[in-house]
Amino acid sequence: MPDTELKGAADRTPVHETDFDPECGQSAVLALIHALAAVQDAEPDEITPLGTIVDGDSMETLVEEYPDSAPRPLRLEATVDGWDVAIRSDGVVQIYDVQATSDSTQSAESTVS
């Protein structure tokens, strides 16, 4: 299976990590917005609207409908406001400093694994 994680993510520690509970209806998108606001030391309504970068409804659907029986969680990745972000279907949001990425070409791409 090809490695589709953010380049260097395995070698990096997230600058911020938070959890959400998809089984209780907690929103992956809201968790991401709050995580991005936290790393930017801003209020959620002060950051770039996430909908201008990614399709939040599709993101929610993918996370909610990914089967729990899958061998590993779904991981959605993108670069948002200069941060590499990852949302996992098991309820984890991770934020990485894009400057720590050794290959800046990957940070400009969005990937799904």
XYZ file of all heavy atoms in Angstrom:
841
model
N 0.852 -1.179 0.000
C 0.000 0.000 0.000
C 0.896 1.240 0.000
O 1.828 1.333 0.789
C -0.880 -0.038 1.256
C -1.874 1.100 1.326
S -3.046 0.902 2.684
C -4.144 -0.278 1.924
N 0.658 2.222 -0.864
C 1.532 3.392 -0.933
C 1.419 4.254 0.317
O 0.378 4.323 0.958
C 1.024 4.152 -2.161
C -0.374 3.688 -2.354
C -0.440 2.290 -1.823
N 2.524 4.897 0.644
C 2.546 5.808 1.779
C 1.960 7.133 1.326
O 2.534 7.821 0.498
C 3.983 6.002 2.272
C 4.073 6.977 3.417
O 3.041 7.259 4.041
O 5.188 7.438 3.689
N 0.790 7.488 1.854
C 0.141 8.720 1.437
C 0.048 9.721 2.575
O -0.677 10.694 2.486
C -1.273 8.434 0.897
O -2.014 7.735 1.891
C -1.213 7.629 -0.385
N 0.777 9.483 3.668
C 0.757 10.440 4.764
C 1.611 11.644 4.404
O 2.444 11.597 3.503
C 1.280 9.786 6.038
C 0.330 8.731 6.560
C 0.705 8.232 7.928
O 1.476 8.922 8.624
O 0.227 7.174 8.297
N 1.400 12.728 5.130
C 2.207 13.920 4.908
C 3.672 13.555 4.981
O 4.092 12.807 5.862
C 1.889 14.970 5.986
C 0.471 15.512 5.993
C 0.244 16.327 7.257
C 0.216 16.367 4.780
N 4.446 14.046 4.049
C 5.868 13.733 4.058
C 6.486 14.173 5.376
O 6.313 15.301 5.801
C 6.580 14.415 2.901
C 6.238 13.806 1.570
C 7.315 14.122 0.576
C 6.978 13.657 -0.800
N 6.785 12.271 -0.969
N 7.156 13.242 6.008
C 7.815 13.551 7.266
C 6.895 13.494 8.474
O 7.333 13.707 9.582
N 5.603 13.203 8.288
C 4.674 13.194 9.419
C 5.083 12.170 10.457
O 4.945 12.407 11.654
C 3.243 12.942 8.947
N 5.592 11.025 10.027
C 5.994 10.001 10.987
C 7.172 10.476 11.832
O 7.356 10.028 12.955
C 6.356 8.715 10.255
N 7.969 11.390 11.286
C 9.134 11.903 11.998
C 8.826 13.166 12.785
O 9.689 13.683 13.467
C 10.257 12.214 11.001
C 10.679 10.990 10.219
O 10.597 9.869 10.768
O 11.069 11.152 9.056
N 7.606 13.662 12.677
C 7.252 14.918 13.326
C 6.256 14.683 14.442
O 5.473 13.751 14.408
C 6.629 15.894 12.327
C 7.555 16.307 11.221
C 6.962 17.406 10.394
N 5.794 16.919 9.665
C 4.929 17.718 9.061
N 5.081 19.016 9.107
N 3.904 17.233 8.407
N 6.279 15.586 15.363
C 5.295 15.598 16.435
C 4.302 16.702 16.118
O 4.708 17.814 15.767
C 5.978 15.883 17.789
O 6.970 14.881 18.014
C 4.976 15.885 18.918
N 3.011 16.416 16.245
C 2.044 17.480 15.993
C 2.275 18.643 16.959
O 2.618 18.433 18.119
C 0.689 16.824 16.254
C 0.931 15.366 16.299
C 2.368 15.166 16.629
N 2.050 19.856 16.478
C 2.129 21.013 17.374
C 0.845 21.130 18.174
O 0.806 21.809 19.205
C 2.425 22.329 16.620
C 3.807 22.289 15.992
C 1.356 22.632 15.582
N -0.198 20.448 17.705
C -1.480 20.433 18.427
C -2.216 19.160 18.044
O -2.202 18.755 16.879
C -2.320 21.659 18.058
C -3.576 21.782 18.851
N -3.602 22.285 20.124
C -4.851 21.456 18.551
C -4.844 22.286 20.576
N -5.626 21.781 19.632
N -2.828 18.534 19.024
C -3.636 17.351 18.770
C -4.863 17.412 19.660
O -4.771 17.798 20.830
C -2.830 16.083 19.062
C -3.582 14.808 18.719
C -2.705 13.573 18.820
O -1.705 13.491 18.071
O -3.020 12.702 19.640
N -6.002 17.056 19.103
C -7.238 17.055 19.868
C -8.087 15.873 19.434
O -7.858 15.292 18.376
C -8.000 18.394 19.698
O -9.050 18.461 20.653
C -8.553 18.554 18.305
N -9.047 15.532 20.253
C -9.929 14.411 19.964
C -11.363 14.891 19.764
O -11.757 15.936 20.275
C -9.935 13.414 21.138
C -8.573 12.812 21.395
O -7.850 12.526 20.433
O -8.231 12.619 22.577
N -12.110 14.120 19.027
C -13.550 14.302 18.906
C -14.145 12.905 18.856
O -13.446 11.933 18.597
C -13.913 15.131 17.661
C -13.574 14.452 16.357
C -14.541 13.762 15.643
C -12.289 14.512 15.848
C -14.224 13.136 14.449
C -11.962 13.892 14.650
C -12.936 13.201 13.953
N -15.422 12.779 19.157
C -16.056 11.467 19.180
C -17.093 11.376 18.061
O -18.230 11.806 18.224
C -16.711 11.223 20.538
C -17.195 9.787 20.697
O -17.242 9.051 19.682
O -17.523 9.401 21.826
N -16.704 10.804 16.915
C -17.635 10.735 15.789
C -18.859 9.869 16.092
O -19.920 10.085 15.526
C -16.791 10.151 14.655
C -15.616 9.514 15.301
C -15.407 10.212 16.610
N -18.716 8.914 16.986
C -19.849 8.044 17.313
C -20.908 8.770 18.146
O -22.046 8.330 18.207
C -19.356 6.790 18.012
C -18.492 5.960 17.078
C -18.365 4.525 17.500
O -19.072 4.099 18.425
O -17.550 3.834 16.883
N -20.525 9.861 18.795
C -21.483 10.655 19.577
C -21.945 11.884 18.807
O -22.565 12.780 19.376
C -20.858 11.083 20.903
S -20.650 9.732 22.055
N -21.587 11.936 17.527
C -22.035 13.040 16.697
C -21.179 14.289 16.785
O -21.556 15.334 16.259
N -20.023 14.199 17.446
C -19.147 15.364 17.488
C -18.555 15.588 16.103
O -18.196 14.654 15.396
C -18.051 15.189 18.532
C -18.578 15.189 19.944
C -17.471 15.014 20.968
O -16.406 14.490 20.673
N -17.746 15.446 22.187
N -18.443 16.826 15.722
C -18.034 17.208 14.377
C -16.515 17.234 14.203
O -15.804 17.907 14.956
C -18.597 18.596 14.066
O -18.029 19.120 12.896
N -16.052 16.525 13.172
C -14.636 16.562 12.817
C -14.239 17.958 12.343
O -13.159 18.454 12.667
C -14.347 15.535 11.727
N -15.122 18.591 11.589
C -14.843 19.925 11.057
C -14.739 20.940 12.193
O -13.817 21.759 12.215
C -15.908 20.339 10.019
C -15.753 21.798 9.630
C -15.821 19.446 8.797
N -15.653 20.893 13.152
C -15.562 21.819 14.285
C -14.304 21.570 15.107
O -13.656 22.510 15.565
C -16.803 21.716 15.167
C -18.059 22.358 14.599
C -19.239 22.155 15.544
C -17.848 23.832 14.328
N -13.941 20.308 15.280
C -12.699 19.994 16.003
C -11.496 20.581 15.264
O -10.590 21.152 15.889
C -12.551 18.484 16.171
N -11.496 20.476 13.932
C -10.410 21.044 13.128
C -10.385 22.562 13.246
O -9.315 23.157 13.422
C -10.550 20.619 11.672
C -9.539 21.216 10.696
C -8.107 20.900 11.121
C -9.815 20.730 9.289
N -11.530 23.202 13.166
C -11.588 24.662 13.276
C -11.037 25.123 14.621
O -10.232 26.055 14.688
C -13.034 25.163 13.064
C -13.439 24.983 11.594
C -13.187 26.620 13.495
C -14.919 25.170 11.329
N -11.444 24.465 15.682
C -10.965 24.850 17.016
C -9.470 24.571 17.180
O -8.759 25.354 17.815
C -11.792 24.168 18.104
C -13.153 24.773 18.248
N -13.398 25.899 19.002
C -14.340 24.435 17.685
C -14.679 26.220 18.918
N -15.270 25.351 18.115
N -8.984 23.478 16.581
C -7.556 23.175 16.640
C -6.746 24.228 15.879
O -5.709 24.695 16.359
C -7.289 21.779 16.080
N -7.214 24.615 14.689
C -6.521 25.654 13.924
C -6.539 26.994 14.658
O -5.538 27.713 14.675
C -7.145 25.813 12.539
C -6.794 24.724 11.532
C -7.712 24.794 10.320
C -5.332 24.841 11.119
N -7.656 27.318 15.265
C -7.739 28.562 16.038
C -6.750 28.517 17.204
O -6.079 29.516 17.486
C -9.163 28.779 16.541
N -6.631 27.376 17.853
C -5.716 27.252 18.995
C -4.263 27.480 18.579
O -3.534 28.219 19.248
C -5.873 25.881 19.650
N -3.833 26.870 17.463
C -2.440 27.041 17.048
C -2.163 28.442 16.516
O -1.019 28.887 16.513
C -1.966 25.981 16.024
C -2.023 24.587 16.615
C -2.716 26.069 14.718
N -3.211 29.133 16.068
C -3.045 30.496 15.563
C -3.323 31.541 16.646
O -3.278 32.733 16.374
C -3.963 30.718 14.356
C -3.590 29.850 13.172
C -4.486 30.072 11.984
O -4.718 31.206 11.568
N -4.978 28.992 11.399
N -3.613 31.068 17.857
C -3.930 31.951 18.977
C -5.014 32.948 18.571
O -4.861 34.161 18.688
C -2.676 32.671 19.478
C -2.891 33.313 20.843
O -3.751 32.825 21.608
O -2.215 34.316 21.134
N -6.095 32.388 18.042
C -7.197 33.209 17.533
C -8.520 32.577 17.948
O -8.566 31.436 18.405
C -7.118 33.295 16.009
N -9.576 33.301 17.731
C -10.919 32.771 17.933
C -11.311 32.036 16.647
O -10.849 32.393 15.555
C -11.906 33.906 18.215
C -11.672 34.607 19.535
C -11.837 33.678 20.727
O -12.782 32.850 20.729
O -11.020 33.760 21.663
N -12.175 31.022 16.748
C -12.559 30.281 15.545
C -13.113 31.155 14.419
O -12.855 30.873 13.247
C -13.626 29.310 16.062
C -13.235 29.072 17.488
C -12.716 30.415 17.972
N -13.803 32.232 14.749
C -14.352 33.084 13.684
C -13.320 34.057 13.110
O -13.621 34.804 12.191
C -15.588 33.830 14.165
C -15.326 34.782 15.327
O -14.238 34.722 15.938
O -16.228 35.584 15.631
N -12.094 34.035 13.634
C -11.035 34.918 13.139
C -10.108 34.234 12.141
O -9.284 34.897 11.514
C -10.188 35.439 14.305
C -10.952 36.302 15.282
C -10.142 36.681 16.507
O -9.186 35.942 16.871
O -10.462 37.715 17.103
N -10.233 32.915 11.978
C -9.351 32.209 11.041
C -10.011 32.142 9.666
O -11.200 32.430 9.517
C -8.986 30.802 11.557
C -10.212 29.887 11.622
C -8.293 30.888 12.908
C -9.890 28.437 11.937
N -9.235 31.770 8.666
C -9.769 31.620 7.316
C -10.917 30.626 7.348
O -10.773 29.528 7.897
C -8.674 31.103 6.364
O -7.593 32.022 6.358
C -9.213 30.930 4.950
N -12.067 30.973 6.784
C -13.188 30.026 6.771
C -12.779 28.715 6.096
O -12.278 28.710 4.971
C -14.263 30.746 5.970
C -13.920 32.200 6.113
C -12.420 32.248 6.170
N -12.965 27.624 6.802
C -12.531 26.321 6.314
C -13.203 25.961 4.989
O -12.595 25.328 4.130
C -12.828 25.255 7.371
C -12.107 23.937 7.238
C -10.596 24.128 7.208
C -12.495 23.007 8.358
N -14.434 26.400 4.804
C -15.174 26.099 3.582
C -14.554 26.690 2.327
O -14.872 26.265 1.225
N -13.645 27.655 2.481
C -12.965 28.215 1.311
C -11.795 27.345 0.877
O -11.216 27.573 -0.180
C -12.460 29.647 1.583
O -11.473 29.607 2.619
C -13.602 30.575 1.972
N -11.456 26.352 1.704
C -10.289 25.511 1.439
C -10.676 24.061 1.178
O -10.142 23.421 0.281
C -9.290 25.596 2.612
C -8.852 27.050 2.788
C -8.093 24.685 2.394
C -8.161 27.332 4.091
N -11.573 23.540 1.985
C -12.004 22.144 1.859
C -13.525 22.077 1.927
O -14.182 22.991 2.412
C -11.402 21.246 2.961
C -9.889 21.189 2.880
C -11.843 21.685 4.343
N -14.078 20.974 1.462
C -15.519 20.742 1.527
C -15.821 20.063 2.864
O -15.626 18.857 3.019
C -15.955 19.874 0.355
C -17.455 19.636 0.320
O -18.127 19.800 1.358
O -17.954 19.271 -0.754
N -16.263 20.847 3.827
C -16.511 20.348 5.171
C -17.579 19.271 5.227
O -17.456 18.307 5.985
N -18.636 19.407 4.414
C -19.694 18.393 4.407
C -19.152 17.053 3.930
O -19.451 16.002 4.517
C -20.860 18.823 3.526
C -21.645 19.990 4.104
O -21.592 20.200 5.344
O -22.309 20.694 3.327
N -18.355 17.072 2.887
C -17.766 15.826 2.384
C -16.809 15.229 3.416
O -16.775 14.013 3.607
C -17.020 16.073 1.076
O -17.931 16.445 0.066
N -16.039 16.084 4.070
C -15.112 15.622 5.095
C -15.880 14.912 6.215
O -15.501 13.818 6.648
C -14.315 16.807 5.650
C -13.232 16.423 6.616
S -12.372 17.872 7.276
C -11.749 18.615 5.794
N -16.960 15.538 6.674
C -17.783 14.938 7.733
C -18.341 13.585 7.290
O -18.306 12.614 8.036
C -18.939 15.858 8.121
C -18.556 17.070 8.906
C -18.136 16.798 10.340
O -18.285 15.674 10.857
O -17.631 17.749 10.949
N -18.844 13.541 6.068
C -19.424 12.296 5.556
C -18.386 11.188 5.499
O -18.651 10.050 5.914
C -20.046 12.527 4.162
O -21.069 13.518 4.278
C -20.630 11.246 3.589
N -17.210 11.486 4.994
C -16.152 10.481 4.924
C -15.797 9.951 6.309
O -15.658 8.744 6.514
C -14.906 11.058 4.247
C -14.984 11.239 2.747
C -13.813 12.082 2.252
C -15.005 9.892 2.045
N -15.644 10.841 7.275
C -15.270 10.437 8.625
C -16.393 9.617 9.266
O -16.144 8.573 9.874
C -14.923 11.674 9.487
C -14.790 11.306 10.958
C -13.630 12.312 8.991
N -17.623 10.070 9.125
C -18.761 9.390 9.753
C -19.030 8.022 9.144
O -19.405 7.090 9.852
C -20.026 10.245 9.621
C -20.017 11.485 10.470
C -21.186 12.410 10.157
O -22.060 12.049 9.337
O -21.218 13.507 10.739
N -18.869 7.903 7.827
C -19.261 6.666 7.155
C -18.132 5.668 6.966
O -18.365 4.560 6.484
C -19.911 6.999 5.817
C -21.224 7.739 5.998
C -21.944 8.026 4.703
O -21.509 7.546 3.632
O -22.962 8.732 4.751
N -16.918 6.022 7.355
C -15.808 5.082 7.210
C -16.019 3.928 8.184
O -16.277 4.148 9.370
C -14.479 5.789 7.483
C -13.281 4.991 7.054
C -12.950 4.882 5.713
C -12.488 4.338 7.985
C -11.854 4.147 5.306
C -11.378 3.604 7.585
C -11.073 3.510 6.241
O -9.988 2.789 5.837
N -15.936 2.697 7.715
C -16.263 1.564 8.591
C -15.270 1.384 9.740
O -14.059 1.443 9.551
C -16.228 0.367 7.648
C -15.475 0.800 6.441
C -15.564 2.293 6.372
N -15.812 1.165 10.931
C -14.976 0.891 12.106
C -14.200 -0.407 11.936
O -13.165 -0.598 12.559
C -15.830 0.803 13.375
C -16.438 2.141 13.750
O -15.878 3.183 13.369
O -17.487 2.132 14.427
N -14.697 -1.295 11.088
C -14.055 -2.593 10.892
C -12.851 -2.525 9.948
O -12.164 -3.525 9.754
C -15.077 -3.586 10.335
O -15.570 -3.125 9.086
N -12.589 -1.367 9.375
C -11.442 -1.219 8.466
C -10.146 -1.501 9.222
O -10.059 -1.275 10.426
C -11.418 0.182 7.870
N -9.123 -1.988 8.525
C -7.872 -2.340 9.201
C -7.149 -1.159 9.859
O -6.389 -1.348 10.792
C -7.006 -2.956 8.110
C -7.709 -2.709 6.826
C -9.111 -2.287 7.111
N -7.389 0.036 9.358
C -6.813 1.227 9.981
C -7.747 2.402 9.725
O -8.534 2.389 8.781
C -5.406 1.518 9.480
C -5.322 1.886 8.039
C -3.889 2.091 7.616
N -3.869 2.817 6.365
C -2.796 3.123 5.718
N -1.629 2.780 6.181
N -2.851 3.782 4.592
N -7.654 3.443 10.560
C -8.566 4.577 10.373
C -8.291 5.344 9.078
O -7.167 5.370 8.586
C -8.300 5.472 11.585
C -7.154 4.907 12.310
C -6.780 3.608 11.692
N -9.327 5.953 8.554
C -9.195 6.873 7.430
C -8.438 8.104 7.912
O -8.643 8.557 9.041
C -10.587 7.285 6.946
C -10.654 8.393 5.892
C -10.228 7.844 4.540
C -12.059 8.947 5.820
N -7.565 8.633 7.094
C -6.803 9.835 7.437
C -6.948 10.832 6.295
O -6.504 10.565 5.171
C -5.338 9.474 7.670
C -4.464 10.630 8.076
C -3.039 10.126 8.327
N -2.144 11.216 8.519
C -1.679 11.612 9.695
N -2.021 10.961 10.786
N -0.850 12.629 9.789
N -7.587 11.958 6.567
C -7.736 13.035 5.591
C -6.685 14.077 5.887
O -6.531 14.486 7.044
C -9.130 13.661 5.695
C -10.312 12.715 5.529
C -11.611 13.442 5.835
C -10.338 12.142 4.130
N -5.983 14.526 4.869
C -4.896 15.488 5.060
C -5.033 16.654 4.098
O -5.483 16.493 2.970
C -3.542 14.811 4.851
C -3.301 13.660 5.786
C -2.036 12.896 5.459
O -1.419 13.143 4.399
O -1.659 12.036 6.263
N -4.613 17.811 4.563
C -4.609 19.013 3.726
C -3.656 20.019 4.357
O -3.178 19.834 5.481
C -6.010 19.603 3.629
N -3.397 21.077 3.643
C -2.659 22.200 4.192
C -3.632 23.364 4.266
O -4.289 23.701 3.285
C -1.442 22.557 3.322
O -0.572 21.420 3.298
C -0.688 23.753 3.891
N -3.755 23.927 5.454
C -4.705 25.004 5.718
C -3.979 26.128 6.444
O -3.385 25.899 7.503
C -5.878 24.501 6.589
C -6.847 25.630 6.888
C -6.599 23.333 5.928
N -3.995 27.317 5.902
C -3.384 28.485 6.537
C -1.938 28.244 6.986
O -1.521 28.698 8.043
C -4.215 28.939 7.739
C -5.410 29.768 7.343
O -5.483 30.176 6.163
O -6.265 30.023 8.200
N -1.187 27.512 6.197
C 0.214 27.276 6.535
C 0.442 26.169 7.548
O 1.528 26.034 8.089
N -0.575 25.367 7.806
C -0.466 24.241 8.733
C -0.848 22.962 7.991
O -1.820 22.940 7.245
C -1.415 24.414 9.921
C -1.180 25.660 10.694
C -1.832 26.858 10.538
C -0.222 25.866 11.719
N -1.328 27.779 11.420
C -0.339 27.195 12.162
C 0.725 25.045 12.326
C 0.461 27.729 13.165
C 1.522 25.570 13.335
C 1.385 26.899 13.736
N -0.086 21.896 8.175
C -0.497 20.588 7.696
C -1.491 20.056 8.714
O -1.208 20.069 9.922
C 0.698 19.628 7.608
C 1.632 19.962 6.448
O 1.161 20.559 5.463
O 2.819 19.609 6.530
N -2.650 19.624 8.253
C -3.677 19.119 9.155
C -4.046 17.699 8.760
O -3.994 17.340 7.584
C -4.937 20.020 9.167
C -4.579 21.430 9.599
C -5.635 20.045 7.822
N -4.406 16.901 9.752
C -4.866 15.538 9.514
C -6.066 15.288 10.416
O -6.040 15.618 11.600
C -3.751 14.538 9.818
N -7.099 14.711 9.830
C -8.271 14.281 10.579
C -8.386 12.783 10.362
O -8.358 12.312 9.223
C -9.559 14.964 10.085
C -9.498 16.456 10.335
C -10.780 14.360 10.770
C -10.706 17.208 9.827
N -8.499 12.050 11.461
C -8.635 10.596 11.378
C -10.050 10.182 11.766
O -10.667 10.792 12.634
C -7.618 9.907 12.279
C -6.200 10.176 11.868
C -5.175 9.348 12.597
N -5.592 8.806 13.877
C -4.804 8.772 14.948
N -3.582 9.242 14.900
N -5.258 8.239 16.070
N -10.533 9.126 11.142
C -11.888 8.648 11.417
C -12.037 8.061 12.815
O -13.158 7.856 13.268
C -12.307 7.610 10.371
O -11.446 6.481 10.414
N -10.922 7.823 13.507
C -11.018 7.329 14.882
C -11.101 8.476 15.891
O -11.020 8.261 17.096
C -9.866 6.382 15.223
C -8.495 7.036 15.138
O -8.390 8.197 14.683
O -7.512 6.375 15.519
N -11.276 9.709 15.395
C -11.543 10.838 16.275
C -10.337 11.652 16.692
O -10.326 12.229 17.766
N -9.336 11.742 15.851
C -8.134 12.515 16.179
C -7.906 13.583 15.119
O -8.001 13.307 13.923
C -6.890 11.601 16.278
C -5.628 12.410 16.533
C -7.080 10.550 17.362
N -7.618 14.796 15.573
C -7.212 15.899 14.704
C -5.786 16.259 15.088
O -5.488 16.452 16.269
C -8.125 17.135 14.877
C -7.576 18.333 14.113
C -9.545 16.822 14.433
N -4.906 16.324 14.092
C -3.508 16.686 14.335
C -3.132 17.867 13.454
O -3.504 17.925 12.290
C -2.584 15.504 14.024
C -2.843 14.311 14.920
C -2.113 13.074 14.447
O -2.144 12.733 13.275
N -1.470 12.399 15.381
N -2.381 18.790 14.048
C -1.891 19.967 13.331
C -0.363 19.922 13.364
O 0.246 19.753 14.427
C -2.367 21.280 13.990
C -3.880 21.275 14.237
C -1.917 22.487 13.174
C -4.736 21.316 13.019
N 0.253 20.070 12.190
C 1.712 20.074 12.054
C 2.150 21.407 11.476
O 1.457 21.983 10.646
C 2.180 18.966 11.098
C 1.869 17.571 11.554
C 0.662 16.967 11.216
C 2.773 16.854 12.307
C 0.367 15.679 11.626
C 2.492 15.558 12.718
C 1.290 14.977 12.376
O 0.998 13.714 12.783
N 3.325 21.851 11.868
C 3.908 23.064 11.308
C 4.408 22.746 9.910
O 5.289 21.909 9.740
C 5.051 23.545 12.204
C 5.669 24.844 11.737
O 5.341 25.325 10.631
O 6.482 25.389 12.495
N 3.853 23.387 8.896
C 4.228 23.111 7.516
C 5.710 23.421 7.277
O 6.338 22.809 6.421
C 3.311 23.861 6.521
C 3.661 25.330 6.431
C 3.346 23.231 5.150
N 6.281 24.343 8.031
C 7.697 24.685 7.868
C 8.599 23.515 8.235
O 9.739 23.444 7.776
C 8.058 25.910 8.717
C 7.297 27.155 8.334
C 7.491 27.565 6.878
O 8.578 27.455 6.337
N 6.436 28.022 6.256
N 8.097 22.591 9.034
C 8.895 21.430 9.423
C 8.890 20.349 8.354
O 9.615 19.373 8.451
C 8.379 20.862 10.742
N 8.100 20.529 7.312
C 8.037 19.557 6.231
C 9.289 19.688 5.373
O 9.613 20.765 4.912
C 6.792 19.785 5.352
O 5.638 19.726 6.183
C 6.684 18.747 4.262
N 9.957 18.582 5.161
C 11.199 18.633 4.385
C 10.954 18.817 2.897
O 11.794 19.335 2.186
C 12.024 17.370 4.620
O 11.284 16.228 4.238
N 9.810 18.416 2.408
C 9.499 18.540 0.993
C 8.277 19.439 0.844
O 7.159 19.009 1.010
C 9.222 17.166 0.400
C 8.904 17.196 -1.081
O 8.834 18.298 -1.653
O 8.742 16.113 -1.662
N 8.476 20.700 0.515
C 7.382 21.665 0.472
C 6.375 21.367 -0.638
O 5.270 21.853 -0.601
C 7.924 23.082 0.321
O 8.633 23.201 -0.890
N 6.722 20.545 -1.614
C 5.758 20.237 -2.667
C 4.609 19.402 -2.133
O 3.483 19.559 -2.582
C 6.420 19.516 -3.853
O 6.994 18.293 -3.404
C 7.468 20.397 -4.502
N 4.866 18.516 -1.192
C 3.779 17.710 -0.624
C 2.835 18.592 0.179
O 1.647 18.365 0.184
C 4.348 16.595 0.279
C 3.283 15.807 1.039
C 2.349 15.025 0.150
O 2.648 14.709 -0.983
N 1.175 14.726 0.656
N 3.326 19.617 0.842
C 2.472 20.429 1.684
C 1.440 21.220 0.891
O 0.479 21.710 1.445
C 3.307 21.380 2.537
O 3.959 22.319 1.726
N 1.624 21.312 -0.418
C 0.665 22.040 -1.251
C -0.440 21.125 -1.779
O -1.358 21.573 -2.408
C 1.387 22.690 -2.431
N -0.339 19.827 -1.476
C -1.305 18.869 -1.984
C -2.226 18.406 -0.860
O -1.864 18.401 0.301
C -0.591 17.642 -2.543
C 0.329 17.953 -3.692
C 1.105 16.723 -4.130
O 0.923 15.647 -3.547
O 1.896 16.860 -5.049
N -3.415 17.992 -1.212
C -4.325 17.326 -0.295
C -4.338 15.857 -0.647
O -4.352 15.508 -1.824
C -5.745 17.882 -0.406
O -5.769 19.236 -0.046
N -4.334 14.993 0.369
C -4.339 13.568 0.102
C -5.363 12.887 0.985
O -5.737 13.401 2.027
C -2.953 12.940 0.382
O -2.614 13.167 1.737
C -1.895 13.505 -0.529
N -5.814 11.738 0.563
C -6.716 10.907 1.354
C -6.091 9.525 1.403
O -5.643 9.001 0.390
C -8.106 10.820 0.698
C -8.990 9.867 1.485
C -8.752 12.177 0.595
N -6.042 8.955 2.604
C -5.547 7.577 2.711
C -6.508 6.767 3.528
O -7.331 7.256 4.231
C -4.161 7.544 3.343
O -4.180 8.014 4.664
